[in-house]
């Protein structure tokens, strides 16, 4: 959907929207070559190569060899069920990822029908007029028609030095995927998609293949090891049944296959893929776009949140709040008129500002000046700078040079950090101290302060530095950017969750302290400046950062060093950024967070998350969601291993004790089809625990596959398995028919699966206790389990295939007894675990 636009610059009408739509339909979307979503064939082939599927085919073939056609048909029919479930899960995951890619696709500002509108980059067509600003990634090959740009073309040339672009066919060639690092311009699109320079050499702007997360890699190692162990155990079990128990070879192989299917926790990869993808989708509903899905798992471990002040903690709605002259006379925002002595200060602040500014402070200057000085001699809309000295790391001020009436006479307008402007004016120590005292007083009230100066210069060749001019200090302009109303509560929630917040700002230390005080960011008033950071070595700075929460007068490149030192100190760091220079730090952070509204394309592409509303509260929501997702993966993992224990035991132990077989492949496949949806749906939808934001961040080394979590699950499942085996043994000892005993145990196992789900939702509560938060999928799961049992027991065909019978009253009583014992066991284990 396109954003509604504002009026375009005069002289640029752009394409008619109808013509643009026609060209899009004719030539296709502006997409570079990239990986496509999985096809139906690829998904089916993936299922065919799964160990569980191969074992299903072998087992079906063996049933046919044994003459059990009904069981073979029933078992092989599950092939299509498995494919159907896999397709459904894959499609659900794919839809979630596609919706995220749709949101994260590069966007372009174009002129159509005389209006500037922002559209997805894929909708750009040949002939479109692109409006380009600093930090924009160019959406297509184009020619600059108007303006001036510096463009980083390192993607194509490998050369990091920006190239200057001027209007014209030769000097104004722009290429898709390169980045505007400076300036403003309007360009006409000449080529899109594969016809662009980057498309011709086969490079993709975005790679749609998500890298595997740490959890996914750990799960693959675990499953590989369990598969090897399971195959060895199943082989030994097969030989044991054939050579020791006296069964036929085919029956022994069938029993071995059943054991292998019982051991393999194939649900784990499904759980991780679905949970992380749907978690990213859920985050997008909270205005947090996940560009790299593996970042979702890192959210719950964040221990330090390094955030920009402007636009994240504050509203980024700058307005001029105060003017102050060197004689200390002031003009406040509540005044009804602008006295004459302040006119020159506002006039030169406007002259030192671009006519079409992008920066919020510069916009505020122009709005304020036009409000007070329109229809006076102090507004010079027709003036164009003859030369500009840009803001630089060495001089935090910018100067516009205007030609005067005389041939060699030039008028200078400068604005910037008060310290820099004072230095350019070559003021004495006493005068500088007075002005810096004014700056300090304004900053203490939360104002962001700029100094303004004017100068005159005679000459033809421009000096190399602004320092070579003589300036006269005109005064100070103070800006207010009020905190976002939701920030104090969000910061309090973060601190309660053990997440330390560090403010990053280029503002004055006093401004940083004032905002920090207003939002309750930190009780420590100490501030470290960029200059102080530069003077410290890594060891000293790392120690200093342990005691400081406010970083002021910070240069963008210093953020990278800050992130690296915090990570080296063992912290899991999330960092926000919006500029081109923030990209290295965003990439170096454990979770880079870019601003969606005011951030540049480069920052958004380097980040793992994008805040669509630039709100700090959205970051806190993301942390809460990240913790919930990790908790639910842990619960689902525990459930999977707990359920597999009775399945393994019921497949293995009866043979060792020379009892009639309990579980065969048909039973195990049916159980697997229950376990998978139970994990993927019930636990993924589990609401967050009440205390989720009162806990400290988890250690990065923590894992759902940690010994403690798996040990609890194994003990939980083994106890349940012991109860079922004990019940089966008692029934056989009383002369109960094997089919009746199998039916009672099977029903108890299926219902027990639901009990294990309840027990692993919240280990702090009894399994049947009413949870404080509802899970909408629990009643649906219970209904599905009941319906499945009714079909398996009630329909003669299924009942015969499964080797079951309709249970009578004594059998139902035995089922109730086993389930009651299971409840007692789960409660005893829960209480023991809590005490420990």
């Amino acid at each position: 959907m396109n954003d509604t636009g504002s009026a375009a610059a005069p002289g640029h009408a752009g394409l008619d929207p109808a013509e643009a739509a026609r060209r899009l339909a004719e030539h296709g979307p502006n997409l570079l070559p990239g990986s496509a979503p999985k096809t139906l064939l690829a998904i089916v082939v993936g299922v065919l190569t799964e160990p569980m599927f191969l074992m299903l085919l072998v087992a079906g073939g063996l049933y046919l060899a044994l003459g059990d056609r009904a069981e073979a048909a029933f078992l092989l029919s599950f092939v299509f069920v498995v494919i159907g479930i896999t397709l459904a899960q894959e499609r659900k995951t794919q839809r979630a990822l596609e919706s995220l890619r749709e949101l994260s696709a590069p966007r372009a500002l174009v002129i159509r029908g005389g209006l500037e509108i922002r559209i997805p980059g894929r909708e750009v067509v040949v002939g479109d007029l692109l409006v380009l600003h600093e930090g924009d990634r160019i959406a297509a090959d184009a020619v600059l028609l108007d303006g001036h740009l510096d463009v980083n073309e390192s993607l194509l040339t490998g050369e990091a030095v920006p190239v200057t672009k001027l209007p014209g066919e030769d000097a104004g060639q722009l290429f898709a995927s390169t980045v505007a690092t400076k300036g403003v311009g309007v360009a006409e699109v000449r080529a899109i998609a594969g016809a662009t320079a980057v498309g011709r050499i086969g490079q993709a702007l975005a790679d749609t293949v998500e890298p595997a997360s740490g959890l996914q890699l750990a799960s693959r190692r675990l499953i590989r090891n369990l598969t090897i162990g399971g195959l060895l155990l199943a082989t030994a079990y097969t030989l044991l049944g054939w050579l020791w128990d006296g069964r036929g070879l085919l029956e022994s192989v069938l029993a071995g296959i059943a054991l292998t299917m019982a051991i393999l926790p194939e649900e784990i990869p499904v759980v991780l893929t679905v949970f992380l993808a749907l978690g990213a989708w859920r985050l997008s509903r909270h205005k947090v776009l996940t560009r790299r899905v593996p970042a979702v798992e890192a959210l719950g471990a964040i221990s330090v949140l390094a955030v920009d002040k402007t636009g994240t903690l504050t509203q980024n709605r700058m307005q001029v709040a105060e003017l102050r002259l060197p004689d200390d006379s002031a003009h406040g925002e509540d005044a009804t008129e602008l006295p004459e002595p302040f006119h020159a200060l506002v006039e030169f602040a406007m002259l030192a500002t671009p006519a079409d500014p992008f920066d919020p402070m510069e916009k505020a200057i122009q709005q304020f000046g036009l409000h007070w000085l329109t229809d006076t001699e102090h507004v010079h809309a027709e003036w164009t700078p003859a030369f500009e000295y840009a803001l630089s790391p060495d001089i935090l001020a910018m100067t516009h040079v205007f030609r005067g009436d005389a041939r060699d006479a030039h008028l200078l307008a400068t604005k910037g950090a008060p310290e820099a402007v004072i230095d350019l004016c070559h003021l004495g120590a006493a005068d500088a101290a007075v002005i810096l005292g004014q700056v300090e007083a304004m900053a203490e009230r939360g104002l962001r302060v700029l100094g303004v100066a004017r100068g005159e210069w005679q000459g033809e060749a421009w000096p190399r530095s602004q320092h070579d001019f003589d300036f006269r200090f005109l005064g100070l302009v103070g800006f207010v950017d009020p905190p976002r109303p939701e920030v104090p509560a969000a910061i309090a929630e973060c601190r309660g969750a053990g997440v330390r917040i560090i403010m990053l700002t280029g503002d004055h230390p006093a401004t940083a302290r004032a905002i920090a005080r207003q939002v309750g960011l930190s009780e420590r008033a100490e501030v470290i400046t960029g200059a102080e950071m530069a003077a410290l070595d890594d060891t000293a700075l790392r120690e200093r950062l342990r005691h400081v929460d406010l970083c002021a007068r910070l240069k963008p490149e210093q953020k990278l060093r800050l992130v690296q030192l915090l990570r080296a100190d063992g912290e899991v760091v999330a960092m926000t950024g919006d500029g081109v220079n923030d990209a290295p730090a965003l990439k170096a952070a454990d979770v880079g967070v870019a601003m969606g509204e005011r951030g540049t394309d480069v920052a958004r592409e380097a980040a793992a998350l994008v805040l669509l509303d630039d709100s700090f509260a959205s970051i806190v929501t993301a942390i809460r969601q990240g913790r919930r997702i990790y908790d639910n993966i842990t619960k689902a993992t525990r459930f999977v291993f707990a359920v597999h224990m009775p399945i393994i035991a019921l497949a293995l132990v009866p043979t060792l004790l020379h009892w009639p077989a309990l579980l065969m492949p048909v039973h195990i496949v049916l159980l697997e089809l229950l376990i998978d949806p139970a994990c993927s749906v019930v636990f993924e939808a589990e609401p967050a625990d009440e205390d989720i934001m009162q806990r400290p961040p988890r250690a990065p080394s923590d894992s759902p596959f940690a010994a403690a979590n798996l040990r609890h699950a194994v003990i939980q499942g083994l106890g349940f398995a012991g109860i079922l085996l004990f019940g089966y043994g008692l029934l056989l000892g009383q002369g109960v028919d094997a089919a009746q005993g199998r039916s009672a145990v099977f029903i108890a196992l299926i219902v027990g699966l639901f009990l294990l789900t309840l027990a692993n939702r919240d280990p702090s509560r009894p399994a049947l206790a009413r949870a404080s938060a509802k899970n909408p999928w629990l009643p649906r799961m219970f209904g599905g389990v009941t319906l499945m049992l009714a079909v398996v027991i009630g329909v003669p065909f299924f009942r015969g295939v499964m080797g079951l019978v309709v249970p009578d009253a004594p059998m139902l009583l035995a089922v109730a007894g086993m389930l009651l014992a299971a409840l007692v066991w789960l409660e005893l284990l829960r209480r023991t675990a809590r005490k420990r």
Side-chain angles (χ1 to χ4, degrees):
M1 184 179 291
N2 300 341
D3 296 343
T4 55
S6 55
H12 295 297
L15 288 176
D16 180 75
E19 173 62 17
R22 187 192 68 78
R23 294 187 185 188
L24 180 63
E26 180 181 349
H27 302 294
N30 177 35
L31 294 175
L32 295 175
S35 57
K38 280 187 181 177
T39 63
L40 176 64
L41 179 61
I43 295 173
V44 172
V45 170
V47 174
L48 292 176
T49 56
E50 285 289 331
M52 184 69 72
F53 183 86
L54 294 175
M55 285 185 285
L56 210 56
L57 287 178
V58 173
L62 289 174
Y63 272 120
L64 281 176
L66 291 170
D68 295 330
R69 293 185 178 181
E71 292 192 22
F74 182 69
L75 199 61
L76 291 175
S77 68
F78 274 115
V79 169
F80 301 101
V81 177
V82 171
I83 290 175
I85 289 177
T86 305
L87 282 173
Q89 289 174 331
E90 186 74 34
R91 187 62 196 133
K92 192 173 185 181
T93 300
Q94 196 64 46
R95 278 201 303 268
L97 293 176
E98 284 173 0
S99 67
L100 295 174
R101 289 191 189 105
E102 179 73 19
L103 285 169
S104 64
R107 296 175 69 78
L109 187 63
V110 300
I111 300 175
R112 288 184 181 173
L115 295 175
E116 289 185 4
I117 60 172
R118 195 169 292 278
I119 63 172
R122 59 182 172 76
E123 294 183 10
V124 170
V125 298
V126 173
D128 260 330
L129 295 183
L130 301 176
V131 181
L132 301 168
H133 295 89
E134 175 183 332
D136 286 348
R137 184 170 289 279
I138 298 168
D141 284 5
V143 171
L144 191 65
L145 301 181
D146 191 13
H148 169 282
L149 291 172
D150 284 355
V151 180
N152 184 331
E153 296 182 345
S154 60
L155 179 68
L156 293 171
T157 65
E159 177 57 56
V161 178
V163 180
T164 299
K165 302 289 183 177
L166 300 171
E169 290 289 336
D170 296 327
Q173 286 286 338
L174 303 174
F175 301 101
S177 301
T178 59
V179 180
T181 59
K182 180 183 176 184
V184 178
V186 176
E188 181 181 349
V189 174
R190 297 293 173 86
I192 62 169
T196 61
V198 71
R200 285 194 298 272
I201 62 177
Q203 289 177 298
L205 176 61
D207 185 1
T208 57
V209 178
E210 297 291 343
S213 70
L215 284 180
Q216 288 169 326
L217 293 174
S219 74
R220 288 172 189 171
R221 286 194 298 270
L222 178 69
I223 290 171
R224 184 185 64 235
N225 295 336
L226 288 173
T227 301
I228 294 171
L231 289 173
L232 292 174
L233 182 60
T235 302
Y237 180 63
T238 301
L239 293 174
L240 188 68
W242 180 38
L243 300 174
W244 182 58
D245 202 33
R247 287 181 301 185
L249 179 60
L250 291 181
E251 288 186 54
S252 299
V253 171
L254 203 58
I257 289 174
L259 179 61
T260 307
M261 294 171 73
I263 291 173
L264 286 181
E266 289 232 332
E267 303 82 11
I268 296 297
V270 174
V271 164
L272 294 179
T273 302
V274 172
F275 280 40
L276 292 177
L278 292 182
W281 174 74
R282 288 180 188 276
L283 284 173
S284 71
R285 298 172 67 189
H286 293 282
K287 303 292 187 182
V288 181
L289 171 62
T290 307
R291 296 196 69 255
R292 283 185 280 281
V293 171
V296 173
E297 76 175 62
L299 283 169
I302 290 172
S303 58
V304 172
L305 191 50
V307 295
D308 277 331
K309 176 185 74 67
T310 305
T312 307
L313 298 178
T314 63
Q315 297 179 27
N316 197 28
R317 293 180 180 174
M318 285 288 184
Q319 57 188 38
V320 175
E322 184 176 319
L323 303 176
R324 191 164 292 273
L325 301 179
D327 64 5
D328 208 27
S329 56
H331 172 272
E333 57 184 327
D334 297 330
T336 56
E337 61 177 349
L338 183 68
E340 181 65 32
F342 294 93
H343 285 197
L345 171 60
V346 177
E347 175 187 1
F348 278 83
M350 291 178 70
L351 287 174
T353 299
D356 180 23
F358 181 73
D359 181 81
M361 291 174 63
E362 293 184 328
K363 283 184 176 180
I365 288 172
Q366 292 288 11
Q367 290 169 357
F368 184 86
L370 292 174
H371 173 73
W372 290 108
L373 299 182
T374 297
D375 298 329
T376 72
E377 72 277 11
H378 298 289
V379 176
H380 311 285
E382 72 283 1
W383 286 16
T384 302
F387 193 75
E388 297 180 12
Y389 290 89
L391 201 72
S392 70
D394 300 326
I395 304 176
L396 295 177
M398 60 187 299
T399 298
H400 285 181
V401 182
F402 300 89
R403 292 192 183 278
D405 296 332
R407 182 168 174 244
D408 295 333
H410 302 281
L411 187 65
L412 311 175
T414 293
K415 75 176 190 305
E419 303 95 315
V421 177
I422 288 170
D423 184 45
L424 291 176
C425 292
H426 309 298
L427 295 178
D431 292 336
V434 170
I435 295 171
L436 289 175
Q438 296 173 351
V439 171
E440 189 77 20
M442 294 171 71
E444 289 287 355
R445 298 195 301 277
L447 300 182
R448 188 170 180 180
V449 186
L450 290 181
V452 180
R454 67 168 292 172
E456 292 83 22
W457 182 71
Q458 300 284 334
E460 293 184 357
W462 311 116
R464 293 183 59 187
S465 170
Q466 300 174 69
H467 270 298
D468 297 327
F469 295 115
D470 287 323
F471 290 99
R472 177 163 61 86
F473 193 82
L474 293 179
L476 302 171
V477 182
F479 304 83
V480 64
D481 182 14
R484 289 177 178 263
E486 73 274 12
V487 165
I491 285 180
E493 188 174 10
C494 252
R495 293 177 69 180
V499 179
R500 178 184 168 205
I501 302 168
I502 297 179
M503 178 195 291
L504 311 177
T505 180
D507 286 349
H508 192 280
T511 306
R513 268 194 296 266
I515 295 296
R517 188 169 53 247
Q518 290 176 44
V519 299
L521 185 141
S522 174
E523 297 173 354
R524 300 187 287 206
E526 188 179 356
V527 182
I528 185 170
T529 65
E532 291 171 333
M533 286 178 59
L536 297 174
D537 61 23
D538 286 353
T539 303
L541 181 55
R542 189 189 305 175
E543 178 60 33
R544 184 82 184 277
L545 286 174
R546 292 173 184 164
H547 310 288
V548 177
D549 298 324
L550 309 178
C551 302
R553 285 286 186 250
L554 208 60
K555 297 175 182 177
E557 58 269 22
Q558 290 177 318
K559 294 180 181 179
L560 175 59
R561 185 184 177 203
L562 187 146
V563 167
Q564 290 171 332
L565 289 178
L566 286 170
R567 293 192 69 208
D569 210 27
E571 305 286 1
V572 178
V573 182
M575 197 206 86
T576 68
D578 58 2
V580 175
N581 290 333
D582 290 335
L586 289 172
K587 202 164 186 178
D590 295 281
V591 181
V593 183
M595 302 297 109
E597 290 184 346
R598 61 189 170 89
T600 60
D601 287 347
V602 178
R604 286 194 286 267
E605 288 185 18
L609 301 179
V610 178
L611 298 185
L612 299 180
D613 59 359
D614 289 9
S615 171
F616 177 80
S618 295
I619 306 177
V620 182
T621 299
I623 292 175
R624 187 188 304 111
Q625 286 292 320
R627 291 187 175 194
R628 183 193 69 83
I629 293 163
Y630 182 85
D631 279 1
N632 289 349
I633 289 175
T634 301
K635 294 172 185 177
T637 302
R638 190 165 56 238
F639 169 79
V640 167
F641 278 84
V643 163
H644 272 267
M645 290 303 105
I647 297 176
I648 294 169
L650 296 182
L652 176 64
V653 173
T655 299
L656 298 178
L657 297 178
H658 297 279
W659 290 351
L662 255 176
L663 293 186
M664 293 301 287
V666 284
H667 305 113
I668 293 171
V669 170
L670 190 63
L671 285 163
E672 294 284 348
L673 292 176
L674 276 176
I675 297 169
D676 200 335
C679 295
S680 301
V681 177
V682 174
F683 286 104
E684 195 284 325
E686 191 65 22
D689 295 341
E690 292 178 353
D691 66 342
I692 198 163
M693 292 301 279
Q694 279 80 54
R695 306 188 311 228
R698 65 176 174 86
S701 58
D702 284 357
S703 167
F705 314 117
N709 192 46
L710 297 187
R711 183 171 60 246
H712 181 85
V714 168
I715 293 172
Q716 201 178 50
L718 285 177
F720 185 35
I723 291 168
L724 295 177
L725 286 169
F726 184 74
Y728 186 51
L730 282 180
L731 290 173
L732 292 178
Q734 293 174 2
V736 172
D737 179 78
Q740 288 182 313
R742 182 185 298 115
S743 301
V745 172
F746 186 77
I747 294 171
L749 178 58
I750 294 294
V751 179
L753 186 146
F754 185 70
L755 291 180
L756 284 172
T757 303
L758 295 176
N760 285 291
R761 281 189 72 203
D762 184 357
S764 66
R765 296 173 181 270
L768 296 182
R770 183 188 178 97
S772 56
K774 292 183 179 179
N775 184 328
W777 281 98
L778 269 177
R780 301 175 198 177
M781 179 198 168
F782 184 73
V785 169
T786 305
L787 179 62
M788 188 277 296
L789 263 179
V791 170
V792 168
I793 301 295
V795 178
F797 171 76
F798 292 116
R799 191 167 63 240
V801 168
M802 302 287 288
L804 304 175
V805 296
V806 178
D808 54 18
M811 290 303 100
L812 291 177
L813 193 60
V815 169
M818 285 185 276
L819 291 175
L820 181 61
L823 270 175
V824 172
W825 163 249
L826 291 174
E827 180 60 16
L828 285 174
L829 186 61
R830 183 187 71 82
R831 294 192 178 193
T832 303
R834 288 195 70 183
K835 288 179 182 178
R836 190 168 60 243

